[in-house]
Amino acid sequence: EVHILHTFAHDFYSARLNLLILGFIRPEYDYVSTESLVEDIRTDIAVARRSLEREAYARFKDDGYLLTFEGGEHEREVAG
């Protein structure tokens, strides 16, 4: 499952996304409450942000694959 950490100026429904899977945070669980799911998602976000600061992951921030969108102005507008 992909969680978008960046805040975009425009919605990107129907837009293509290029993504890289750089790691695994936790397995999928059946939650007994929405609150426990939300708590784990917040923890996942914190873990992902810390991981992306690591040198091994930070080098992907400016990767051309993630910044180049083929197929439409909408994708370039959203990324910009």
Side-chain angles (χ1 to χ4, degrees):
E1 181 173 310
V2 175
H3 186 95
I4 306 296
L5 298 175
H6 182 77
T7 301
F8 290 91
H10 304 281
D11 74 63
F12 48 88
Y13 289 99
S14 300
R16 293 183 183 120
L17 295 176
N18 293 348
L19 59 99
L20 292 172
I21 297 173
L22 298 174
F24 178 82
I25 295 175
R26 66 171 168 82
E28 187 175 322
Y29 297 116
D30 288 326
Y31 288 92
V32 296
S33 71
T34 302
E35 292 80 17
S36 60
L37 169 61
V38 169
E39 183 180 335
D40 270 5
I41 289 172
R42 288 187 177 133
T43 300
D44 296 346
I45 291 168
V47 169
R49 288 188 190 281
R50 281 193 311 271
S51 295
L52 291 171
E53 291 173 0
R54 295 179 184 158
E55 186 178 337
Y57 295 152
R59 65 188 179 99
F60 291 103
K61 182 179 179 182
D62 297 318
D63 189 288
Y65 172 76
L66 297 173
L67 301 173
T68 303
F69 299 93
E70 296 179 14
E73 183 61 33
H74 182 67
E75 285 83 353
R76 285 186 284 282
E77 181 181 297
V78 169

